[in-house]
Amino acid sequence: QRIKADEVSFDNERLKDNTFESRGASSNDYGAKASADLIVTRGEGFRKEKNKKKRGSYRGGDITLQTHSFRFED
């Protein structure tokens, strides 16, 4: 492997889990339904499915203004 997992350090504990579920968003969140639909899609079909979700007719759920960002300490 190019990157050795035991040598990786994280600036923030939240960076260890990069899944949508780790955010703690509500189940009615817009991204929750899209994540559930796309998590099972692998390979070439992912681009097609992703673009289908980006069209205006997709009704995924509530769009919130909540942010999940954090500040890196320099």
Side-chain angles (χ1 to χ4, degrees):
Q1 288 183 344
R2 190 168 58 92
I3 298 173
K4 305 209 179 350
D6 55 340
E7 296 178 5
V8 175
S9 65
F10 294 95
D11 287 343
N12 191 313
E13 292 297 315
R14 292 185 345 195
L15 292 173
K16 288 184 178 180
D17 187 8
N18 197 26
T19 61
F20 180 81
E21 290 78 21
S22 69
R23 285 184 17 188
S26 71
S27 61
N28 196 28
D29 188 84
Y30 184 85
K33 187 164 187 317
S35 174
D37 291 345
L38 292 173
I39 197 76
V40 296
T41 308
R42 297 283 183 242
E44 291 183 23
F46 184 83
R47 180 181 294 128
K48 180 181 177 187
E49 292 299 319
K50 175 187 61 115
N51 287 335
K52 282 171 44 177
K53 304 293 183 238
K54 289 168 66 174
R55 292 193 188 120
S57 63
Y58 180 67
R59 301 288 178 234
D62 297 335
I63 297 176
T64 64
L65 298 177
Q66 183 180 7
T67 180
H68 298 280
S69 62
F70 56 89
R71 184 179 302 272
F72 283 101
E73 300 299 327
D74 289 336

